[in-house]
Amino acid sequence: MKNLVSMKDLSVEQIRAILEQAQAFREGAKSTLKNHYTMANLFFEPSTRTKMSFEMAERKLDMDVLPFEAGFSSTLKGETLYDTVKVLEAIGIDALVIRHEENNYFESLVGKVKPAIINGGDGTGNHPTQSLLDIYTIWQEFGTLKDKVVSIVGDISHSRVARSNADALTRLGAKVRFVCPPEWQGEFEAVNDFDEVIASSDVIMMLRVQHERHDGATSFSKEGYHEAFGLTIEREKRMKESSIIMHPAPFNRDVEIASELIECDRSRIFKQMENGVFIRMAVIEMILKGRE
Ligand code: CP
């Protein structure tokens, strides 16, 4: 593996190898990279978790991390993403994490520039390291993905998390179901009644309502959405005893999930964030090893 832009880049064996290496890093393993590397994280859309956990992973791998602020970069003077990456290539950057609002932005880079490209999220397209940390969290919980029922609930059509997880979870043997209002169904087959899936799910994965990607044409009521598609306290009571709650975050409290459930016993939301560091260490190491 020389880049990671989509979960489709990864075979089931590679996904398993990443999970095992993430677990090894969690248990204190050290990097086995032969060379010293320099990375930069280029975020053209807002991020707290992905940006900070990549930076933590890079530091734990003893790398140099050069700061990049999109809002103070020459992209504001019209420099293209390709030209920006060529600048970073010229000054000696080995690998880049990029988040960009344009779907498939990486097509102008992969195979055309020297630094490794790791996708930190492209528009509504892909978010591979989020998918890997989600898979790792489920695996850690149940020891397997096989036959686990994962219900992904909410703003499906605008979600790169749903898109990345749909394919990968299915290939790992999980039974994935989508639940959303009909207008947010996109290309997915979905059920429109959350109550149909509550009691039979092993994982309830809530998604953020992504107001910034909506055109504002349809009216939206927070209370109405919470009632119909939110994980309410009443719905949580009907979940199976062993089932868990996930959310990629950031979350809209009391919209897609009741505020009281965010840190409840079955919530793995902060565990997902913790796992993100180890997954990102494993991904970076695998990519750079593939280039050594
Ligand atoms: N889950 C996720 O991608 O969060 P950020 O947007 O804060 O990176």
Side-chain angles (χ1 to χ4, degrees):
M1 177 172 63
K2 299 229 177 333
N3 304 277
L4 176 62
V5 297
S6 161
M7 286 304 284
K8 293 191 168 74
D9 294 345
L10 295 174
S11 65
V12 165
E13 291 68 35
Q14 283 173 314
I15 294 172
R16 292 213 173 99
I18 291 169
L19 303 190
E20 277 160 21
Q21 188 55 37
Q23 184 64 23
F25 281 132
R26 166 179 280 287
E27 289 166 5
K30 297 285 174 226
S31 162
T32 53
L33 287 167
K34 290 195 195 109
N35 302 324
H36 182 76
Y37 292 100
T38 304
M39 287 190 63
N41 305 310
L42 278 53
F43 279 68
F44 297 94
E45 275 193 336
S47 170
T48 299
R49 273 145 293 273
T50 311
K51 186 166 188 279
M52 297 304 285
S53 68
F54 262 114
E55 185 153 343
M56 181 63 92
E58 291 151 11
R59 288 171 189 272
K60 280 178 179 275
L61 291 169
D62 292 327
M63 294 180 172
D64 285 325
V65 186
L66 296 197
F68 176 87
E69 293 300 332
F72 291 92
S73 72
S74 287
T75 55
L76 296 187
K77 299 181 218 164
E79 190 162 67
T80 65
L81 178 61
Y82 174 81
D83 290 336
T84 301
V85 171
K86 288 299 282 184
V87 172
L88 299 173
E89 175 183 313
I91 64 170
I93 295 276
D94 299 295
L96 292 164
V97 179
I98 303 178
R99 172 173 289 187
H100 202 280
E101 64 276 11
E102 203 179 300
N103 284 27
N104 302 324
Y105 72 80
F106 42 78
E107 284 174 358
S108 66
L109 304 175
V110 171
K112 296 170 186 136
V113 297
K114 278 197 205 132
I117 305 298
I118 303 175
N119 185 7
D122 63 296
T124 59
N126 304 269
H127 195 348
T129 58
Q130 178 70 45
S131 177
L132 286 165
L133 73 88
D134 290 342
I135 290 167
Y136 180 40
T137 305
I138 299 169
W139 180 66
Q140 208 174 40
E141 191 70 31
F142 300 107
T144 181
L145 277 288
K146 187 146 174 40
D147 296 330
K148 294 294 155 201
V149 177
V150 181
S151 295
I152 305 180
V153 187
D155 192 353
I156 307 283
S157 59
H158 300 103
S159 175
R160 53 195 175 207
V161 177
R163 222 154 256 118
S164 292
N165 272 334
D167 165 65
L169 285 170
T170 305
R171 282 193 287 138
L172 289 161
K175 296 182 172 22
V176 181
R177 292 184 303 205
F178 296 99
V179 184
C180 62
E183 62 273 24
W184 290 348
Q185 200 162 320
E187 72 270 31
F188 298 96
E189 262 184 48
V191 295
N192 306 128
D193 182 356
F194 193 2
D195 292 308
E196 267 184 36
V197 306
I198 290 281
S200 55
S201 300
D202 296 295
V203 178
I204 303 265
M205 186 182 290
M206 303 305 297
L207 297 176
R208 182 173 69 88
V209 178
Q210 300 193 48
H211 294 290
E212 75 277 17
R213 300 193 200 278
H214 298 172
D215 60 11
T218 45
S219 63
F220 178 82
S221 141
K222 286 182 180 178
E223 294 75 19
Y225 184 81
H226 189 62
E227 181 78 16
F229 290 99
L231 187 56
T232 59
I233 291 167
E234 190 277 323
R235 286 194 175 107
E236 186 272 338
K237 289 195 173 91
R238 284 189 278 127
M239 288 173 67
K240 276 204 278 194
E241 198 180 331
S242 59
S243 63
I244 59 170
I245 298 168
M246 295 174 67
H247 192 310
F251 31 75
N252 296 301
R253 286 177 183 264
D254 297 320
V255 180
E256 65 265 5
I257 181 166
S259 194
E260 293 89 332
L261 297 179
I262 286 165
E263 294 182 61
C264 74
D265 285 350
R266 56 163 110 239
S267 168
R268 298 293 178 269
I269 296 173
F270 289 94
K271 176 63 81 178
Q272 287 172 266
M273 297 175 204
E274 190 185 313
N275 285 342
V277 175
F278 302 114
I279 282 291
R280 287 170 175 131
M281 288 174 77
V283 165
I284 293 168
E285 190 187 64
M286 187 181 275
I287 288 173
L288 291 174
K289 266 195 179 162
R291 289 170 168 244
E292 280 184 337

